[in-house]
Amino acid sequence: LDAVNHAVDQGWTDKNRVGIYGASYGGYEALISAAFSSDVFQCAVDAFGPSSLLTFVDSIPPTWSLEYQDLIRSVGDPDTEQEFMKSRSPLYFADQVKIPMLIAQGGNDVRVPQQESDQMVEALENAGVEVDYLLFPNSGHGFNSKEDMTRFYSEMETFLAAHLGGRAQSKAELDS
C-alpha cells in the first residue's frame, strides 16, 4: 500500500489503474489486499495462494513436521489461535471484496492444495464478486508446462487490460 501511495504521489501511477498480482505467498497478499483494500486496487490476481490460514495449516502433511512447526510459529496455531488466524484469512472476508478477481490454481499443488482456491472462488461467487477461475489440472505449485504458463499469462493480460485499460495480445498475435 505504501508503494502504491508513493507511486501515485510521484505521478508515476494513475490511482484508478492499479491492480495487484501475486503467486504463493504473493497470492495470499493479493487476496488479503482485495479483501481489506478494495478501495486501492481495481482488480486482483492470485495464483496458488492460500485463502484460509486454518485450512492451509490443516493441509500440511505429517511428513512435513519441521515445516509445520515453522508455519504455526509464523501464522498461528489452529488449536489455540483460531480467531487470530481467521482474522488474517481472506476467505472469511470475501463479502468485503469489491473488485474483480482472477484466481489460478494447480490441481496437483501439494504446497497450497486446490481446496484453498475452490473455497475462495465459492465464497466470492456467493458474495456476488466477479471472479474468473483458472484450474490447471496437471500443474502443481507453479506451472508444469509452457502451455499452462502461456495460457495463464495470456488470460492475466486480458483480465488486466479489461480492468485497468490497455490492450492484450490476441491469440493470433501470440501464435505468430
Side-chain angles (χ1 to χ4, degrees):
L1 297 176
D2 290 339
V4 170
N5 290 334
H6 181 71
V8 169
D9 290 346
Q10 295 300 311
W12 301 332
T13 303
D14 176 348
K15 70 176 183 168
N16 297 313
R17 294 184 64 196
V18 178
I20 185 167
Y21 158 62
S24 193
Y25 177 77
Y28 166 79
E29 284 295 323
L31 293 171
I32 282 289
S33 294
F36 296 130
S37 302
S38 280
D39 57 327
V40 175
F41 301 100
Q42 279 61 55
C43 61
V45 179
D46 152 47
F48 319 109
S51 62
S52 167
L53 297 177
L54 288 168
T55 57
F56 174 61
V57 168
D58 283 345
S59 74
I60 302 298
T63 55
W64 293 5
S65 61
L66 293 177
E67 288 89 345
Y68 180 81
Q69 292 306 315
D70 287 343
L71 192 60
I72 63 170
R73 275 192 291 279
S74 63
V75 303
D77 185 335
D79 292 332
T80 60
E81 300 174 289
Q82 279 193 4
E83 290 309 309
F84 171 79
M85 293 172 76
K86 279 184 178 181
S87 75
R88 283 151 179 78
S89 297
L91 176 66
Y92 307 104
F93 300 92
D95 62 336
Q96 293 182 28
V97 175
K98 306 297 179 218
I99 58 175
M101 302 278 309
L102 172 64
I103 296 178
Q105 178 66 46
N108 292 325
D109 192 339
V110 295
R111 175 70 60 187
V112 178
Q114 181 181 333
Q115 170 196 353
E116 291 299 312
S117 290
D118 289 351
Q119 66 192 8
M120 189 67 195
V121 168
E122 181 180 355
L124 290 167
E125 288 175 343
N126 289 341
V129 175
E130 178 186 337
V131 59
D132 296 329
Y133 186 26
L134 301 174
L135 179 61
F136 297 91
N138 297 317
S139 282
H141 195 66
F143 298 106
N144 292 359
S145 70
K146 181 180 175 188
E147 293 78 23
D148 283 356
M149 186 182 304
T150 300
R151 179 175 166 229
F152 170 70
Y153 285 111
S154 177
E155 296 268 354
M156 183 169 71
E157 181 182 43
T158 300
F159 177 83
L160 293 174
H163 299 291
L164 300 178
R167 73 171 196 90
Q169 233 175 345
S170 70
K171 175 95 168 95
E173 290 173 304
L174 280 174
D175 292 339
S176 63

